[in-house]
Amino acid sequence: MYALHLPHDPRVVRIARLTLRAVLTGHGLTRLLDTAELLVSELVTNAHSHSAGPAALRLRGLAGGRLRMGVWDTDPHIPPPFDKRSWPPRPASAPVGAEGGRGLFLVCHFADAWGGYSLGDDLFGANGKLLWCELGAPVTEGSPRCRESVTRSVTSEGPW
């Protein structure tokens, strides 16, 4: 497991991508690099854009060569499609030509599993939300890549 604490700074997206590349290359998971880099970029961009505080990126290796990427931030709002109210996942209704508004849809589309939940105030002072996604799970031909996230409980392997 790797953790990277990110200040509220526009350079954190690049720093997160570079860190991800170093970790995956060091562990021989280069087959996941391009997709993982896209997903981390979108999750960290979302955290920076929609919260005024710091964020954290966690990378966790799972059984079978899978990778879980989670981004925590200080805003408790779970955006669609991570709120699980919009199925099937669709791009946000961003105006044609808009430079933003579709990133989390890309995460849903390219990840093998994904989810999110609000973190309430607890004994250790954690709050905000956690959005996560996984790569590397075998996907059978014709199976929806995101269906697992609707029914899967994060608690089976922990939130990170």
Side-chain angles (χ1 to χ4, degrees):
M1 182 181 334
Y2 291 84
L4 179 63
H5 297 276
L6 304 167
H8 193 264
D9 182 307
R11 295 171 288 196
V12 298
V13 177
R14 182 172 187 270
I15 292 166
R17 285 194 310 257
L18 290 171
T19 301
L20 172 77
R21 282 194 163 272
V23 169
L24 293 183
T25 300
H27 287 279
L29 294 172
T30 55
R31 66 183 172 82
L32 302 177
L33 270 175
D34 293 336
T35 304
E37 188 173 19
L38 170 68
L39 302 182
V40 161
S41 294
E42 296 303 338
L43 291 174
V44 173
T45 297
N46 181 74
H48 178 73
S49 299
H50 298 288
S51 69
L57 167 66
R58 294 244 177 138
L59 306 172
R60 181 178 176 195
L62 302 172
R66 295 177 323 170
L67 172 68
R68 176 175 287 164
M69 299 161 281
V71 175
W72 163 83
D73 67 53
T74 57
D75 179 13
H77 172 72
I78 305 294
F82 283 74
D83 61 0
K84 297 182 184 176
R85 286 181 280 174
S86 50
W87 186 260
R90 293 180 290 279
S93 55
V96 173
E99 292 184 18
R102 299 172 192 90
L104 294 181
F105 171 76
L106 290 174
V107 173
C108 172
H109 181 74
F110 287 103
D112 295 318
W114 49 268
Y117 55 93
S118 291
L119 303 171
D121 291 332
D122 68 9
L123 180 63
F124 302 105
N127 56 26
K129 71 173 170 293
L130 175 71
L131 300 182
W132 62 271
C133 64
E134 289 181 8
L135 278 179
V139 178
T140 59
E141 189 173 329
S143 69
R145 296 175 64 88
C146 298
R147 187 173 310 274
E148 178 183 358
S149 65
V150 174
T151 58
R152 181 178 177 169
S153 169
V154 178
T155 57
S156 65
E157 292 184 13
W160 295 91

